[in-house]
Amino acid sequence: MKQKKEWYRLDNAGKLYPSITSTRVSTVFRLSATLYNNIDSKVLQIALNNIIEYFPYFKVNLKRGLFWYYFEHTEKYPKVQKETYYPCMFMFYKNKNSFPFRVLYYNNRISVEFSHSITDGVGAINFLKSLLVEYFNLLGINTDSHKIPSKEEAEDAFKKYYVKNVPNPPKLKKAFHFPFKLNSKGEYYIITGIIPMDILLSTAKKYNASLTQFLLALYFDTIQDFIKSNNFKLLPVVINLPVNLRSIYPSNTMRNFFISVTPQIDFRLGTYSFEEIVNYIRNYMQLTLNKKYINQHIHHNVKREKSIFIRLIPLFLKNLMMPTIYSKYGERNYTTGISNLGLITLPKSIEDLVERIEFYPPPSIGNIIKVGTIGYKDNIYISFGSLTKTTTIEKIFFRKIRKMNIPVKIETNRE
Amino acid sequence: MPYCPKCGVEVDYKITNCPLCTFPIPDIPDENNNIKVSKFPRPENKYYETILKIKNQIFFTLSILIFCAVLILITINSIIDAHPLAINYSIISVVAAWFYIFIFLGYISSLYYSILGIGIVTMFLTLGIDYVDGRINWFFSYALPVIILALAIIYLFLYLYNRSKFLNKFIFIPSYLFIGISLLSVGLECILDYQAKKSISLSWSLIVFIVLISIAVLLISLYYKLPDIIKEKIKRKLHISLF
Ligand SMILES: [Zn+2]
């Protein structure tokens, strides 16, 4: 008897991504772990085969419905690949038999790249952790066993924590954008700055800011310097900061569960001192990081999806409309984005076997430079993902950190 | 560890230029002789290769179709006693279509040459159609001037468009389109009039020209706002005193 194939709806945030994906806007992000020894690809493949059963909601193919895309369970297994392209490249995940994620290896590094349609950074971290644990298990290192995922881990938490009858949040206006020339298609540049965690934290403390607040302030200040030294026609600077909602709601979902908050500073009002920026951000976070504010945004997103008009538009029309709508209401209103995945901890038994963990944000035309940060062991890794050859923003940013007497080491995939 | 003297950031051994500012990194010998493991592969960019492959497939398929179409037309021509002119028209059009496809698939990388190519193919197409009956009737008097006029206006449009890339699209593209259409209509009437009467007296195109040009000028001046002197003048002439 043939069993009925399991299928999943895309979650509220994930629904958007397949419709806006293009060769440049891949909506793919990367998490990678660098070990001390070269990767054994055969062992990695077995590890992947073993753990994928615990992530049934990832063992899927994207399919076209009449009105929405959906994920369908597949009997096939994903294959590990040797890394040959630029990071976060376009994924043919709309094709038959291709997965919405990939596992790559290169020398001593394992990378997982996920389409944002299926999960966010937190889901990807959990997956990478399990993969590492299983990989070392197979190499004969005693580690903890896997936990069986519960049904809850595939839930659409947006829908679960949706509150009815809340007014819409105020609309954003067009934000300042970096006026840099786009690079060739098929290329994506990363510049990673490696910074000792303790020094960065103590400096942030001096300004009475958390790490995220401090980095955000540095980024605002960087853009301020850039704007003021070039005399651009000014628009407000808006930075998109995704917030992991699992820290606010008791969900363990492995699918998307984040909301973007959008601190903004209008440099037409004058020059801001660093202290003023930090102050603004600290206050902004207090205003926004509470259930009432977040509910308003969840409500807005879910309401849009629930609208009967949007539901009844055939998928091909959605695909035609979404890129324009997204650029008009989405990234047009942000200057750039910075997403902080926080401090990652691995089980003690394998911590000494993994040198570092890095996070690369997805490439996008609307925001040609985006930042992904992640902390692991003693360092914080700040990665600028960029679709332009210009490195001005990165230069100003890291020079600023150096001026505060914080050591920085720079690495890049640029030639 | 080596570092950039300008940025103050550390970089890996054997990096020749600073990744942030491209300043040359002073050469420091690696004392610990660490074996350097590269973090990234030398990345391949298959994008253009893949696109070219797909394009070639499309072009190859269409070429075969067009080749078959021409063969069928020739066969029909030899079997059935169809009107030879009709067959010749079809063959010329199908062959021209092949050239158009070649250009539209972007095998000529420069946009300017592509447009020139489209112009040349159109010239040959019209010349061929005109010459089917063995005489040239209207090619030199009508087709050629119109094609040259259209090409000139398209090039003018592109020139203006490239110059205003970072300006407001909703203002400039319509304005330039209006300017293009108004120039085209004037040129068209000139050609038609001259060929018909050997003299030029404009009528309908002038109306189009005046209307569209004034809209375009209005749009553009709204964007740039009026210069202060003119503003001042208007204020002076039209001011209403309350006392
Ligand atoms: Zn430098």
Side-chain angles (χ1 to χ4, degrees):
Chain A
M1 201 173 73
K2 206 181 162 195
Q3 261 196 331
K4 220 168 65 182
K5 270 189 179 175
E6 191 98 40
W7 69 283
Y8 304 86
R9 286 170 216 275
L10 272 70
D11 63 72
N12 175 268
K15 272 203 164 97
L16 171 74
Y17 294 105
S19 295
I20 60 162
T21 300
S22 67
T23 40
R24 267 214 183 100
V25 187
S26 70
T27 66
V28 170
F29 61 93
R30 172 188 284 199
L31 271 161
S32 58
T34 307
L35 317 188
Y36 288 99
N37 295 315
N38 273 1
I39 308 298
D40 185 332
S41 62
K42 287 197 191 86
V43 177
L44 184 63
Q45 181 66 60
I46 300 169
L48 178 59
N49 291 354
N50 291 350
I51 67 155
I52 193 69
E53 298 299 344
Y54 296 97
F55 298 91
Y57 33 82
F58 290 166
K59 197 167 177 271
V60 289
N61 294 148
L62 188 76
K63 298 269 167 160
R64 279 181 185 81
L66 188 55
F67 299 109
W68 295 107
Y69 287 101
Y70 62 94
F71 286 120
E72 191 179 77
H73 182 80
T74 172
E75 293 304 316
K76 295 224 161 51
Y77 284 87
K79 292 265 171 303
V80 301
Q81 298 156 42
K82 191 168 177 173
E83 185 178 345
T84 51
Y85 302 118
Y86 281 89
C88 309
M89 276 300 110
F90 181 67
M91 206 175 254
F92 287 97
Y93 65 104
K94 292 184 201 174
N95 287 10
K96 248 188 186 170
N97 299 328
S98 53
F99 289 82
F101 69 94
R102 49 167 94 99
V103 176
L104 303 167
Y105 64 94
Y106 182 73
N107 288 346
N108 54 359
R109 180 151 120 144
I110 298 172
S111 303
V112 291
E113 294 190 343
F114 273 89
S115 158
H116 226 315
S117 59
I118 195 152
T119 190
D120 57 15
V122 177
I125 286 173
N126 285 333
F127 183 80
L128 178 64
K129 271 187 194 171
S130 303
L131 184 64
L132 287 171
V133 166
E134 182 64 20
Y135 178 76
F136 286 120
N137 245 336
L138 291 170
L139 290 179
I141 291 142
N142 264 337
T143 52
D144 320 324
S145 58
H146 291 291
K147 57 177 177 56
I148 312 288
S150 64
K151 183 104 181 140
E152 192 202 31
E153 282 166 17
E155 74 183 4
D156 184 348
F158 285 105
K159 290 230 177 76
K160 189 167 171 189
Y161 297 102
Y162 161 74
V163 184
K164 271 185 194 148
N165 299 327
V166 180
N168 287 340
K171 280 203 177 81
L172 292 171
K173 290 217 182 85
K174 191 181 171 188
F176 171 77
H177 280 80
F178 296 128
F180 302 137
K181 202 170 167 272
L182 277 172
N183 62 357
S184 315
K185 285 182 182 171
E187 296 184 4
Y188 186 46
Y189 312 129
I190 301 288
I191 288 185
T192 304
I194 306 165
I195 299 170
M197 183 93 71
D198 48 349
I199 305 181
L200 197 63
L201 271 174
S202 62
T203 315
K205 214 167 201 172
K206 255 189 248 165
Y207 291 96
N208 204 3
S210 75
L211 195 65
T212 308
Q213 289 166 356
F214 182 66
L215 291 176
L216 196 55
L218 272 173
Y219 202 13
F220 266 116
D221 202 23
T222 300
I223 300 169
Q224 168 168 249
D225 283 9
F226 173 72
I227 288 178
K228 297 260 146 113
S229 63
N230 287 283
N231 285 320
F232 287 115
K233 195 193 151 204
L234 289 183
L235 284 167
V237 172
V238 185
I239 297 183
N240 178 322
L241 178 78
V243 176
N244 174 20
L245 296 184
R246 296 169 190 84
S247 59
I248 296 174
Y249 294 97
S251 174
N252 281 319
T253 183
M254 287 289 284
R255 300 164 78 198
N256 286 300
F257 196 34
F258 67 94
I259 281 285
S260 292
V261 297
T262 48
Q264 49 184 302
I265 298 183
D266 196 335
F267 291 114
R268 286 176 292 198
L269 303 180
T271 305
Y272 281 67
S273 71
F274 189 67
E275 284 77 11
E276 279 176 313
I277 297 177
V278 173
N279 236 331
Y280 162 74
I281 289 168
R282 200 185 315 112
N283 289 319
Y284 177 86
M285 300 283 216
Q286 274 170 4
L287 281 172
T288 52
L289 296 190
N290 56 68
K291 275 196 182 171
K292 290 199 178 64
Y293 184 90
I294 300 282
N295 277 345
Q296 205 180 7
H297 283 81
I298 295 181
H299 172 263
H300 186 57
N301 291 1
V302 176
K303 199 185 75 182
R304 251 185 322 201
E305 185 196 322
K306 285 196 165 176
S307 147
I308 193 81
F309 291 111
I310 293 187
R311 271 195 280 176
L312 285 182
I313 296 172
L315 183 62
F316 77 94
L317 278 181
K318 282 193 185 103
N319 287 346
L320 280 177
M321 289 157 39
M322 283 321 272
T324 332
I325 294 176
Y326 183 64
S327 80
K328 187 146 173 54
Y329 293 98
E331 289 185 325
R332 182 174 167 272
N333 303 332
Y334 317 130
T335 304
T336 176
I338 179 165
S339 81
N340 183 5
L341 287 188
L343 181 67
I344 305 305
T345 47
L346 291 177
K348 274 273 165 291
S349 48
I350 63 168
E351 210 176 51
D352 291 338
L353 304 167
V354 179
E355 187 218 321
R356 63 162 84 171
I357 291 180
E358 281 160 277
F359 164 49
Y360 301 160
S364 156
I365 296 189
N367 291 166
I368 55 176
I369 299 177
K370 281 189 182 180
V371 188
T373 68
I374 197 166
Y376 175 67
K377 288 207 270 200
D378 304 327
N379 290 321
I380 174 147
Y381 300 86
I382 303 176
S383 298
F384 282 77
S386 162
L387 285 183
T388 174
K389 289 214 154 91
T390 317
T391 55
T392 316
I393 298 299
E394 291 92 327
K395 185 179 77 187
I396 303 174
F397 184 85
F398 288 117
R399 280 186 179 178
K400 244 179 219 311
I401 296 184
R402 274 304 288 136
K403 281 220 182 82
M404 295 179 166
N405 235 340
I406 305 167
V408 178
K409 194 195 164 207
I410 296 290
E411 291 178 0
T412 182
N413 71 337
R414 292 180 191 240
E415 304 264 287
Chain B
M1 202 163 248
Y3 69 100
C4 168
K6 285 203 151 174
C7 305
V9 298
E10 289 180 1
V11 293
D12 276 320
Y13 289 99
K14 284 174 190 151
I15 296 252
T16 50
N17 293 87
C18 173
L20 298 177
C21 68
T22 69
F23 193 79
I25 302 283
D27 195 22
I28 294 178
D30 188 351
E31 282 153 12
N32 303 335
N33 250 336
N34 293 322
I35 301 158
K36 168 94 169 61
V37 183
S38 70
K39 281 156 187 129
F40 293 96
R42 204 175 188 86
E44 284 177 60
N45 186 351
K46 282 260 173 82
Y47 177 77
Y48 294 97
E49 214 174 287
T50 317
I51 293 292
L52 188 68
K53 223 190 243 166
I54 297 169
K55 229 159 57 178
N56 286 344
Q57 280 169 0
I58 295 172
F59 188 62
F60 184 68
T61 320
L62 289 175
S63 298
I64 288 178
L65 277 176
I66 283 172
F67 182 69
C68 294
V70 172
L71 271 186
I72 290 167
L73 286 170
I74 291 172
T75 323
I76 292 174
N77 197 15
S78 58
I79 297 171
I80 314 165
D81 194 21
H83 198 292
L85 284 184
I87 299 292
N88 285 341
Y89 281 136
S90 321
I91 290 179
I92 290 168
S93 311
V94 167
V95 171
W98 186 78
F99 279 103
Y100 281 131
I101 290 166
F102 180 81
I103 294 168
F104 279 121
L105 281 174
Y107 280 102
I108 302 170
S109 53
S110 150
L111 180 65
Y112 291 91
Y113 284 128
S114 295
I115 291 168
L116 187 67
I118 290 169
I120 291 172
V121 175
T122 314
M123 269 180 219
F124 277 106
L125 173 67
T126 44
L127 180 64
I129 289 174
D130 194 13
Y131 194 61
V132 162
D133 55 3
R135 277 174 302 140
I136 291 179
N137 300 314
W138 44 265
F139 176 72
F140 286 111
S141 48
Y142 290 102
L144 192 61
V146 170
I147 291 168
I148 290 172
L149 175 72
L151 277 183
I153 287 171
I154 290 171
Y155 278 123
L156 176 72
F157 180 83
L158 282 179
Y159 170 76
L160 290 174
Y161 174 79
N162 282 337
R163 281 190 45 155
S164 57
K165 238 179 201 166
F166 296 109
L167 302 173
N168 192 325
K169 277 184 220 154
F170 298 101
I171 300 239
F172 282 90
I173 293 177
S175 311
Y176 293 155
L177 269 179
F178 287 156
I179 294 173
I181 294 169
S182 55
L183 289 178
L184 184 71
S185 52
V186 170
L188 268 181
E189 191 168 28
C190 283
I191 294 165
L192 296 178
D193 246 25
Y194 182 75
Q195 296 302 343
K197 300 183 284 194
K198 297 288 165 207
S199 70
I200 296 171
S201 61
L202 298 178
S203 57
W204 59 268
S205 71
L206 263 186
I207 301 169
V208 176
F209 183 82
I210 290 167
V211 171
L212 290 186
I213 288 285
S214 24
I215 296 176
V217 168
L218 189 70
L219 277 175
I220 293 176
S221 56
L222 272 181
Y223 180 78
Y224 281 118
K225 313 226 171 70
L226 293 166
D228 287 340
I229 302 174
I230 299 179
K231 265 190 211 160
E232 192 56 40
K233 240 182 196 165
I234 294 175
K235 225 190 230 168
R236 205 177 301 158
K237 295 281 176 205
L238 298 179
H239 83 279
I240 301 168
S241 175
L242 288 175
F243 300 103

